[in-house]
């Protein structure tokens, strides 16, 4: 989303190989606290959708992504914003609309409660991707969106790395393809997380 960062935290779990030519063992999370004595998941898995949105584009992607996550039985999407980085005076000069107060700001302490993450941020905050280097496994969507992924007949955001939007100067609305890609990414990530969390 935005730049398309879908990440799953790496915790103790079974190892998988990510490359046939250069295998790297990566632990996939199967949290013990999620399993009942019978080995079944005892609560919904939660994907935290953490984002920053200046003009509302990434906010719309995040909310559509949540719908995709929520469409997978046993997985729940939870929206969080990051704190604003610009002073109010600057935001007013840039004619930034008022943010949705219904979405809480995430704290560092809350992040450990997630089973997975989807991050959304504008180009100017690309340093957020450094999270992938701090114990998280980055999971792109690849070409799972089908033929629309390579459709170049109209301007749109998004790539095999994840959903995105081309907003120009902030006035361009999201296209239906950009919104559909966000929904697809949410559903895709929720499905992967659920598959990895099932007892083996």
């Amino acid at each position: 989303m935005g730049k398309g960062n879908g990440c799953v935290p790496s915790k103790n779990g079974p190892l998988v190989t990510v490359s046939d030519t250069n295998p790297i063992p990566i632990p996939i999370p199967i949290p013990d606290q999620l399993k009942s004595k019978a080995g079944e998941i005892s609560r919904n898995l939660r994907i935290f959708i953490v984002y920053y949105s200046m003009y509302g584009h990434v906010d719309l992607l995040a909310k559509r992504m949540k719908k995709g996550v929520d469409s997978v039985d046993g997985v729940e999407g939870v929206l969080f914003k990051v704190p604003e980085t610009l002073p109010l005076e600057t935001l007013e000069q840039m004619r930034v609309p008022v943010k949705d107060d219904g979405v809480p700001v995430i704290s560092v302490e809350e992040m450990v409660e997630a089973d997975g993450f989807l991050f959304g941020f504008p180009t100017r905050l690309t340093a957020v991707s450094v999270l992938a280097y701090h114990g998280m496994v980055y999971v792109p969507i690849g070409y799972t969106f089908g033929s629309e992924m390579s459709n170049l007949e109209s301007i749109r955001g998004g790539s095999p790395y994840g959903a995105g939007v081309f907003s120009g100067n902030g006035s361009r609305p999201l296209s239906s393809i950009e919104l559909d890609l966000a929904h697809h990414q949410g559903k895709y990530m929720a499905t992967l997380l659920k598959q990895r969390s099932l007892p083996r």
Side-chain angles (χ1 to χ4, degrees), residues 50-105:
V50 183
Y51 67 97
Y52 175 86
S53 185
M54 180 175 284
Y55 291 103
H57 295 84
V58 179
D59 180 70
L60 290 172
L61 286 179
K63 289 175 179 173
R64 184 59 69 95
M65 207 167 275
K66 176 179 171 26
K67 288 183 180 181
V69 170
D70 292 344
S71 72
V72 176
D73 188 46
V75 186
E76 171 188 8
V78 184
L79 294 171
F80 287 102
K81 294 184 295 191
V82 296
E84 180 55 67
T85 60
L86 297 174
L88 181 58
E89 181 180 300
T90 303
L91 294 172
E92 288 172 351
Q93 291 173 354
M94 296 174 70
R95 297 182 182 162
V96 174
V98 177
K99 304 287 192 286
D100 180 357
D101 288 334
V103 178
V105 173

Side-chain angles (χ1 to χ4, degrees), residues 21 26 39 41 46 48-49 59 63-64 67 70 76 81 87 91 94 98 111 114 120-121 143 147-148 157 159 172:
T21 57
I26 298 177
I41 296 172
R46 293 186 302 161
F48 285 6
I49 303 166
D59 180 70
K63 289 175 179 173
R64 184 59 69 95
K67 288 183 180 181
D70 292 344
E76 171 188 8
K81 294 184 295 191
L91 294 172
M94 296 174 70
V98 177
M111 292 187 77
F121 47 88
Y143 288 88
S147 62
E148 289 297 340
S159 73
R172 180 186 173 272

